[in-house]
Amino acid sequence: MALLEVRNLETQFFTQDGVVKAVNGVSWSIDRGETLGIVGESGCGKSVSVLSIMRLIPQPPGKIVGGQVLLDGMDLLKVSGEEIRKVRGKRIAMIFQDPMTSLNPVLTINQQISECLTLHMGMNKGQARQRTIELLEMVGIPEAGDRLDDYPHQFSGGMRQRAMIAMALSCDPDILIADEPTTALDVTIQAQIIALVKRLREGIGKMAVIWITHDLGIIAGIAERVKVMYAGFIVEAAGVKGVYGDPRHPYTKALLGSVPRLDEVRKERLTTIEGLPPDLLALPPGCPFYPRCDYRVDHCREENPPLREVSPGHEIACWVDVRRGVEW
């Protein structure tokens, strides 16, 4: 049995302008010790899907309208508010995009990390303080004992993100969700944070990691399997080698064509994806990528393709075989 299994998850936002269909029947699973990458451009539903798992969608206007999220067989969408609070931080922890807004500006770093330890691990204040020092040292904050009573604004961006990672790991979670944790950081600090998470995951062993990003380069070096999202749908799912070595969906192929390479494989200009993502308030009846696709056929405009297996462990949602340029 998978550690976490998401089945046909649907999340919508009910606004004055209409219903925003942010996540549309997404399904995937993750095992212990595995790293799963979820990639796609901004607004494709990556963050909303994992916030739905944690039941952190603001209600209203958001609402999880369908699906199941099974953690060791327990449906997180049906448990009580008290039970889901026991899961957050203890079983599933999350590193958010912006550590400046995720950390409480009026509480010290020690107060924020110690709260997790006293709440979920039953430690007293002294034990929690000592464990917080160990956690900050583990994530590479120098002179951690002297920085405990500092406030978030006294930390640099990279150090705030390290503190967030320390908080997320404080209760030895089964699953760590990293929601674009390097977005607000410069390239050097990004590389340090990615290396840190990889090292910590290897040290902890059985912890599963869900890494959400729009940066394909990050996923190549950190994940075993990849889900590519577009307009709230999963359009391609495969192992890392399958996605990067043999992309079978036009969107994935275009994304990879827009990434600079350091080798001599490609000498032509980078490709661009013309047009704009679809309006989630009024999704078209067919494939949401149809207006921007170089491989489209009439069938694409009429019906949205389901995920189908094109090789062992490799699924795509497309009516066209991009290798031959013809409809399946």
Side-chain angles (χ1 to χ4, degrees), residues 1 7 20 25 35 37 43 74 83 102 116 128 139 156 162 177 181 183-184 210 235 266 268 271 277 289 320-321:
M1 177 190 279
R7 297 179 181 171
V20 178
T35 299
M74 173 177 65
E83 288 175 304
S102 304
C116 302
V139 298
S156 67
R162 288 171 188 267
I177 298 173
T183 297
I210 300 168
V235 296
R266 187 179 65 222
E268 66 269 18
T271 59
F289 191 59
V320 177
D321 180 355

mmCIF file of all heavy atoms in Angstrom, residues 1 7 20 25 35 37 43 74 83 102 116 128 139 156 162 177 181 183-184 210 235 266 268 271 277 289 320-321:
data_model
loop_
_atom_site.group_PDB
_atom_site.id
_atom_site.type_symbol
_atom_site.label_atom_id
_atom_site.label_comp_id
_atom_site.label_asym_id
_atom_site.label_seq_id
_atom_site.Cartn_x
_atom_site.Cartn_y
_atom_site.Cartn_z
ATOM 1 N N MET A 1 0.843 -1.205 0.000
ATOM 2 C CA MET A 1 0.000 0.000 0.000
ATOM 3 C C MET A 1 0.875 1.251 0.000
ATOM 4 O O MET A 1 1.867 1.322 0.715
ATOM 5 C CB MET A 1 -0.907 0.006 1.239
ATOM 6 C CG MET A 1 -1.768 1.268 1.359
ATOM 7 S SD MET A 1 -2.619 1.441 2.940
ATOM 8 C CE MET A 1 -4.011 0.388 2.662
ATOM 9 N N ARG A 7 -6.776 10.414 -4.951
ATOM 10 C CA ARG A 7 -7.663 9.862 -5.967
ATOM 11 C C ARG A 7 -8.667 10.909 -6.443
ATOM 12 O O ARG A 7 -9.478 11.396 -5.641
ATOM 13 C CB ARG A 7 -8.438 8.656 -5.411
ATOM 14 C CG ARG A 7 -7.585 7.462 -4.997
ATOM 15 C CD ARG A 7 -8.461 6.357 -4.442
ATOM 16 N NE ARG A 7 -7.697 5.196 -4.005
ATOM 17 C CZ ARG A 7 -8.219 4.166 -3.325
ATOM 18 N NH1 ARG A 7 -9.518 4.182 -3.019
ATOM 19 N NH2 ARG A 7 -7.456 3.150 -2.956
ATOM 20 N N VAL A 20 -13.907 28.867 -10.259
ATOM 21 C CA VAL A 20 -12.551 28.613 -10.749
ATOM 22 C C VAL A 20 -12.225 27.146 -10.508
ATOM 23 O O VAL A 20 -12.148 26.699 -9.359
ATOM 24 C CB VAL A 20 -11.521 29.510 -10.037
ATOM 25 C CG1 VAL A 20 -10.106 29.191 -10.529
ATOM 26 C CG2 VAL A 20 -11.846 30.976 -10.252
ATOM 27 N N GLY A 25 -9.615 16.536 -10.944
ATOM 28 C CA GLY A 25 -9.518 15.078 -10.981
ATOM 29 C C GLY A 25 -8.110 14.537 -10.979
ATOM 30 O O GLY A 25 -7.785 13.602 -11.711
ATOM 31 N N THR A 35 10.843 10.426 -3.660
ATOM 32 C CA THR A 35 10.671 11.848 -3.952
ATOM 33 C C THR A 35 9.880 11.985 -5.246
ATOM 34 O O THR A 35 10.274 11.472 -6.288
ATOM 35 C CB THR A 35 12.032 12.563 -4.096
ATOM 36 O OG1 THR A 35 12.753 12.447 -2.875
ATOM 37 C CG2 THR A 35 11.821 14.037 -4.400
ATOM 38 N N GLY A 37 8.154 14.673 -7.929
ATOM 39 C CA GLY A 37 8.175 16.053 -8.407
ATOM 40 C C GLY A 37 6.872 16.397 -9.100
ATOM 41 O O GLY A 37 6.358 15.615 -9.896
ATOM 42 N N GLY A 43 -0.048 28.878 -11.717
ATOM 43 C CA GLY A 43 -1.489 28.825 -11.905
ATOM 44 C C GLY A 43 -2.020 27.507 -12.411
ATOM 45 O O GLY A 43 -3.208 27.385 -12.711
ATOM 46 N N MET A 74 -6.329 6.150 5.678
ATOM 47 C CA MET A 74 -7.240 7.095 6.335
ATOM 48 C C MET A 74 -7.513 8.265 5.403
ATOM 49 O O MET A 74 -6.585 8.917 4.926
ATOM 50 C CB MET A 74 -6.609 7.598 7.641
ATOM 51 C CG MET A 74 -7.391 8.708 8.335
ATOM 52 S SD MET A 74 -6.655 9.219 9.911
ATOM 53 C CE MET A 74 -5.077 9.905 9.368
ATOM 54 N N GLU A 83 -8.517 15.975 14.243
ATOM 55 C CA GLU A 83 -7.674 14.887 13.725
ATOM 56 C C GLU A 83 -6.726 15.387 12.646
ATOM 57 O O GLU A 83 -5.564 14.962 12.601
ATOM 58 C CB GLU A 83 -8.570 13.768 13.185
ATOM 59 C CG GLU A 83 -9.280 12.968 14.258
ATOM 60 C CD GLU A 83 -10.250 11.951 13.680
ATOM 61 O OE1 GLU A 83 -11.141 12.358 12.902
ATOM 62 O OE2 GLU A 83 -10.111 10.751 13.992
ATOM 63 N N SER A 102 5.539 33.141 5.949
ATOM 64 C CA SER A 102 5.148 31.890 6.607
ATOM 65 C C SER A 102 5.534 31.881 8.082
ATOM 66 O O SER A 102 4.864 31.237 8.890
ATOM 67 C CB SER A 102 5.791 30.698 5.898
ATOM 68 O OG SER A 102 5.459 30.679 4.533
ATOM 69 N N CYS A 116 5.862 23.351 17.876
ATOM 70 C CA CYS A 116 5.629 22.053 17.220
ATOM 71 C C CYS A 116 6.054 20.907 18.137
ATOM 72 O O CYS A 116 5.363 19.881 18.233
ATOM 73 C CB CYS A 116 6.418 21.965 15.912
ATOM 74 S SG CYS A 116 6.041 23.253 14.713
ATOM 75 N N ALA A 128 12.361 21.150 24.453
ATOM 76 C CA ALA A 128 12.071 21.713 23.134
ATOM 77 C C ALA A 128 13.146 22.707 22.712
ATOM 78 O O ALA A 128 13.544 22.750 21.536
ATOM 79 C CB ALA A 128 10.703 22.389 23.147
ATOM 80 N N VAL A 139 20.339 21.998 10.028
ATOM 81 C CA VAL A 139 20.061 22.654 8.743
ATOM 82 C C VAL A 139 21.105 23.712 8.391
ATOM 83 O O VAL A 139 20.940 24.460 7.429
ATOM 84 C CB VAL A 139 18.643 23.279 8.720
ATOM 85 C CG1 VAL A 139 17.590 22.201 8.886
ATOM 86 C CG2 VAL A 139 18.485 24.365 9.771
ATOM 87 N N SER A 156 18.553 36.227 7.324
ATOM 88 C CA SER A 156 18.534 36.439 5.874
ATOM 89 C C SER A 156 17.481 35.515 5.250
ATOM 90 O O SER A 156 16.953 34.617 5.918
ATOM 91 C CB SER A 156 19.907 36.126 5.276
ATOM 92 O OG SER A 156 20.177 34.731 5.394
ATOM 93 N N ARG A 162 15.926 27.984 5.938
ATOM 94 C CA ARG A 162 16.513 26.892 6.730
ATOM 95 C C ARG A 162 15.742 26.686 8.031
ATOM 96 O O ARG A 162 15.526 25.553 8.478
ATOM 97 C CB ARG A 162 17.985 27.182 7.022
ATOM 98 C CG ARG A 162 18.895 27.039 5.805
ATOM 99 C CD ARG A 162 20.298 27.551 6.091
ATOM 100 N NE ARG A 162 21.091 27.575 4.871
ATOM 101 C CZ ARG A 162 21.890 26.585 4.460
ATOM 102 N NH1 ARG A 162 21.990 25.479 5.192
ATOM 103 N NH2 ARG A 162 22.577 26.683 3.334
ATOM 104 N N ILE A 177 6.374 18.125 2.279
ATOM 105 C CA ILE A 177 5.941 18.806 1.060
ATOM 106 C C ILE A 177 6.741 20.101 0.935
ATOM 107 O O ILE A 177 6.697 20.950 1.826
ATOM 108 C CB ILE A 177 4.432 19.128 1.099
ATOM 109 C CG1 ILE A 177 3.613 17.840 1.198
ATOM 110 C CG2 ILE A 177 4.024 19.909 -0.152
ATOM 111 C CD1 ILE A 177 2.122 18.064 1.406
ATOM 112 N N PRO A 181 10.182 25.925 -2.497
ATOM 113 C CA PRO A 181 10.880 26.531 -1.360
ATOM 114 C C PRO A 181 12.053 27.429 -1.729
ATOM 115 O O PRO A 181 12.583 28.135 -0.880
ATOM 116 C CB PRO A 181 11.370 25.315 -0.571
ATOM 117 C CG PRO A 181 11.552 24.255 -1.607
ATOM 118 C CD PRO A 181 10.451 24.480 -2.595
ATOM 119 N N THR A 183 11.913 29.671 -4.450
ATOM 120 C CA THR A 183 11.440 30.698 -5.390
ATOM 121 C C THR A 183 11.987 32.083 -5.075
ATOM 122 O O THR A 183 12.408 32.823 -5.957
ATOM 123 C CB THR A 183 9.899 30.739 -5.396
ATOM 124 O OG1 THR A 183 9.418 29.475 -5.863
ATOM 125 C CG2 THR A 183 9.391 31.831 -6.312
ATOM 126 N N ALA A 184 11.987 32.476 -3.797
ATOM 127 C CA ALA A 184 12.351 33.842 -3.419
ATOM 128 C C ALA A 184 13.842 34.005 -3.136
ATOM 129 O O ALA A 184 14.261 35.054 -2.651
ATOM 130 C CB ALA A 184 11.537 34.261 -2.197
ATOM 131 N N ILE A 210 7.564 15.469 -1.451
ATOM 132 C CA ILE A 210 6.818 15.954 -2.625
ATOM 133 C C ILE A 210 7.367 17.343 -2.929
ATOM 134 O O ILE A 210 7.222 18.261 -2.113
ATOM 135 C CB ILE A 210 5.307 16.027 -2.329
ATOM 136 C CG1 ILE A 210 4.766 14.642 -1.947
ATOM 137 C CG2 ILE A 210 4.554 16.565 -3.551
ATOM 138 C CD1 ILE A 210 3.368 14.676 -1.369
ATOM 139 N N VAL A 235 -0.967 16.052 -17.132
ATOM 140 C CA VAL A 235 -0.897 15.753 -18.566
ATOM 141 C C VAL A 235 0.195 14.743 -18.904
ATOM 142 O O VAL A 235 0.166 14.141 -19.975
ATOM 143 C CB VAL A 235 -0.707 17.045 -19.403
ATOM 144 C CG1 VAL A 235 -1.915 17.959 -19.247
ATOM 145 C CG2 VAL A 235 0.578 17.780 -19.022
ATOM 146 N N ARG A 266 21.745 20.436 -28.235
ATOM 147 C CA ARG A 266 20.854 21.314 -28.998
ATOM 148 C C ARG A 266 21.571 22.617 -29.336
ATOM 149 O O ARG A 266 22.047 23.314 -28.449
ATOM 150 C CB ARG A 266 19.587 21.616 -28.184
ATOM 151 C CG ARG A 266 18.551 22.379 -28.983
ATOM 152 C CD ARG A 266 17.292 22.653 -28.156
ATOM 153 N NE ARG A 266 17.581 23.534 -27.058
ATOM 154 C CZ ARG A 266 17.089 23.377 -25.822
ATOM 155 N NH1 ARG A 266 16.310 22.358 -25.554
ATOM 156 N NH2 ARG A 266 17.377 24.225 -24.865
ATOM 157 N N GLU A 268 20.039 24.782 -31.764
ATOM 158 C CA GLU A 268 19.056 25.743 -32.254
ATOM 159 C C GLU A 268 18.571 26.646 -31.121
ATOM 160 O O GLU A 268 18.875 26.429 -29.954
ATOM 161 C CB GLU A 268 17.878 25.022 -32.930
ATOM 162 C CG GLU A 268 17.025 24.180 -32.003
ATOM 163 C CD GLU A 268 17.504 22.739 -31.912
ATOM 164 O OE1 GLU A 268 18.661 22.463 -32.276
ATOM 165 O OE2 GLU A 268 16.704 21.906 -31.452
ATOM 166 N N THR A 271 12.868 27.216 -27.688
ATOM 167 C CA THR A 271 11.500 27.318 -28.178
ATOM 168 C C THR A 271 10.654 28.151 -27.218
ATOM 169 O O THR A 271 10.990 28.300 -26.042
ATOM 170 C CB THR A 271 10.859 25.927 -28.321
ATOM 171 O OG1 THR A 271 10.880 25.283 -27.034
ATOM 172 C CG2 THR A 271 11.623 25.081 -29.313
ATOM 173 N N PRO A 277 -2.243 30.441 -20.875
ATOM 174 C CA PRO A 277 -3.001 29.323 -20.303
ATOM 175 C C PRO A 277 -4.494 29.610 -20.356
ATOM 176 O O PRO A 277 -4.908 30.779 -20.408
ATOM 177 C CB PRO A 277 -2.502 29.266 -18.850
ATOM 178 C CG PRO A 277 -1.201 30.001 -18.849
ATOM 179 C CD PRO A 277 -1.314 31.041 -19.912
ATOM 180 N N PHE A 289 -4.757 22.441 -23.527
ATOM 181 C CA PHE A 289 -3.544 22.921 -24.197
ATOM 182 C C PHE A 289 -3.767 23.140 -25.690
ATOM 183 O O PHE A 289 -2.872 23.621 -26.385
ATOM 184 C CB PHE A 289 -2.403 21.915 -23.963
ATOM 185 C CG PHE A 289 -1.037 22.424 -24.373
ATOM 186 C CD1 PHE A 289 -0.501 23.574 -23.816
ATOM 187 C CD2 PHE A 289 -0.288 21.750 -25.326
ATOM 188 C CE1 PHE A 289 0.745 24.052 -24.199
ATOM 189 C CE2 PHE A 289 0.966 22.209 -25.711
ATOM 190 C CZ PHE A 289 1.477 23.370 -25.141
ATOM 191 N N VAL A 320 -2.498 12.594 -29.551
ATOM 192 C CA VAL A 320 -1.525 12.531 -30.644
ATOM 193 C C VAL A 320 -0.229 11.884 -30.174
ATOM 194 O O VAL A 320 0.239 12.131 -29.059
ATOM 195 C CB VAL A 320 -1.236 13.959 -31.182
ATOM 196 C CG1 VAL A 320 -0.176 13.922 -32.269
ATOM 197 C CG2 VAL A 320 -2.521 14.584 -31.713
ATOM 198 N N ASP A 321 0.336 11.046 -31.025
ATOM 199 C CA ASP A 321 1.666 10.482 -30.786
ATOM 200 C C ASP A 321 2.692 11.489 -31.317
ATOM 201 O O ASP A 321 2.860 11.643 -32.534
ATOM 202 C CB ASP A 321 1.796 9.145 -31.516
ATOM 203 C CG ASP A 321 3.154 8.489 -31.304
ATOM 204 O OD1 ASP A 321 4.030 9.120 -30.672
ATOM 205 O OD2 ASP A 321 3.344 7.351 -31.768
#
